[in-house]
Amino acid sequence: MRCFKFILCFFLCFAFLFSFNRANLLFAYSDDTLAISIACDSPYPVSGEDITFSLNFLPSESINVSAYRLKVKFDSSKISYKGLYSYINNDDFKSYTKDNDLTILFVTSENGINLKSGNIQTMLELNFKVLSSCDIGSSEVSAVVDGLCDYEAEAIPLPNIDPVAINVVQTGGANCDLATLSLDDYTLMPAFSADITAYSVDVPYSKSTIEFSAIPLDDTANVKANRKTLKSAGTATDVNLTVTSADKKSKKVYTIKVNRLSKEDSNTANLNSEPYRPYMQNSGSSNFDDSEIPDVSVAQNNAFALQKASAPLIVKESAFNVILFAAVSIIFIGLSIFVIKHKSQ
């Protein structure tokens, strides 16, 4: 009888614990745990232009994401799918298209993606191209995420995603030229001209964000950059500067390929946002001999040689070091004289 009661008690406890754990599993995440949105870098594209849609996650609590399926519906008579990019690992994504539908699967064999509470994380970027033969007008891109779970296979509630509208506009008409275009003291290739819309620029690995200085020729026009953050070091990022007329019926896009060099290439190139200044002219002097300025290429080669040197090179002593050296020398000389006199006695 006692054995029967013990077994019954054991099973009751087990059932309680199982029910408790099951309840925890069912309510591990609340309905507002995660907000998902899509955004377009160019809502007013022109025919033949590349545009990017980003999938953004915003959790209200720290969560882990290890698998999900994304379904995107778009108008294939206006845009075509080119591919995707992810900061996570492109190999974890598989995609396929059929007519107006794009399906993307994400499954990772690692420990998943840990998202911090309150931080927006761009999960991936979807690259499209506006068809050159498409009609001018509006279109809508919608997305649905399902099968979302963490590394423990616990389901995360699926929020609704608001669709994004794009409006294909015509080129020409209003003046959408840029008057100036620059990036700090870095050099654009080729040199800026209002008629040239494609450029490239090299920046060091330490530069993760950029902001171009762009002024439109028509002061009523609007200039907008599609992004400020750069991809990882050793890769290139296309930054689109879109000049849109005040009536939003005309636009022009300037594309700058920003090459974020690796650490090794940055050291070799000796890139710097500050221009090289071998000498500073005295503002109070009217005589300045250009022959005193060393050749810039020689100076850069010397700088590169110093970077490759195995031992550090001291180029200047501070005033404090000079005073300290003098004080130590005086003390040493004084002690030496004291010892000599003491031995002679």
Side-chain angles (χ1 to χ4, degrees), residues 24-321:
N24 283 342
L25 289 175
L26 292 174
F27 301 97
Y29 300 104
S30 60
D31 291 339
D32 60 352
T33 293
L34 181 65
I36 304 177
S37 63
I38 56 173
C40 180
D41 68 338
S42 182
Y44 296 95
V46 294
S47 299
E49 180 183 350
D50 292 338
I51 59 176
T52 300
F53 294 88
S54 58
L55 178 71
N56 304 309
F57 282 15
L58 175 58
S60 60
E61 59 181 277
S62 297
I63 62 173
N64 174 278
V65 174
S66 292
Y68 64 84
R69 180 172 61 180
L70 171 67
K71 295 180 179 179
V72 180
K73 192 173 287 292
F74 62 95
D75 186 352
S76 58
S77 67
K78 289 188 180 295
I79 59 177
S80 63
Y81 175 67
K82 294 179 60 180
L84 63 83
Y85 172 82
S86 173
Y87 291 91
I88 305 161
N89 185 356
N90 284 352
D91 295 335
D92 291 336
F93 292 89
K94 303 297 180 185
S95 65
Y96 58 92
T97 58
K98 183 179 180 181
D99 299 330
N100 297 328
D101 296 325
L102 165 65
T103 301
I104 296 173
L105 296 175
F106 168 73
V107 179
T108 178
S109 59
E110 304 297 331
N111 293 327
I113 309 159
N114 295 317
L115 304 180
K116 294 182 178 180
S117 172
N119 290 347
I120 297 177
Q121 170 72 50
T122 298
M123 301 300 288
L124 74 159
E125 296 176 351
L126 304 176
N127 302 316
F128 287 81
K129 187 179 186 66
V130 182
L131 302 180
S132 57
S133 58
C134 73
D135 296 331
I136 294 172
S138 62
S139 180
E140 191 175 83
V141 176
S142 60
V144 174
V145 172
D146 59 9
L148 183 64
C149 67
D150 61 14
Y151 194 70
E152 302 298 330
E154 294 182 11
I156 300 174
L158 303 171
N160 294 325
I161 304 175
D162 294 332
V164 173
I166 61 172
N167 192 3
V168 180
V169 298
Q170 63 184 0
T171 57
N175 191 324
C176 294
D177 288 341
L178 282 179
T180 63
L181 173 62
S182 61
L183 176 62
D184 299 330
D185 291 309
Y186 300 104
T187 303
L188 292 178
M189 294 296 292
F192 172 72
S193 173
D195 298 329
I196 301 175
T197 58
Y199 299 88
S200 65
V201 62
D202 292 344
V203 299
Y205 79 99
S206 58
K207 200 167 185 65
S208 59
T209 60
I210 57 167
E211 188 167 1
F212 286 90
S213 175
I215 301 176
L217 197 60
D218 182 358
D219 57 6
T220 64
N222 177 57
V223 182
K224 184 177 180 181
N226 68 323
R227 65 190 305 152
K228 293 183 180 180
T229 59
L230 298 179
K231 296 177 182 178
S232 56
T235 61
T237 304
D238 286 342
V239 177
N240 295 328
L241 298 178
T242 303
V243 186
T244 307
S245 60
D247 59 6
K248 295 185 178 180
K249 293 182 178 180
S250 300
K251 68 181 294 187
K252 188 173 185 178
V253 180
Y254 292 82
T255 301
I256 305 96
K257 177 173 288 187
V258 183
N259 300 309
R260 186 180 178 189
L261 303 182
S262 64
K263 186 174 183 180
E264 295 76 13
D265 291 339
S266 298
N267 292 336
T268 302
N270 199 22
L271 283 176
N272 208 319
S273 61
E274 292 295 325
Y276 178 74
R277 297 184 179 92
Y279 288 95
M280 295 298 292
Q281 183 177 357
N282 191 334
S283 59
S285 172
S286 60
N287 297 324
F288 187 74
D289 187 3
D290 291 341
S291 63
E292 294 180 357
I293 301 179
D295 182 73
V296 174
S297 62
V298 174
Q300 289 177 340
N301 289 337
N302 289 339
F304 176 71
L306 290 178
Q307 289 176 356
K308 294 298 183 180
S310 59
L313 178 65
I314 299 175
V315 294
K316 185 173 69 173
E317 292 284 346
S318 66
F320 175 78
N321 288 339

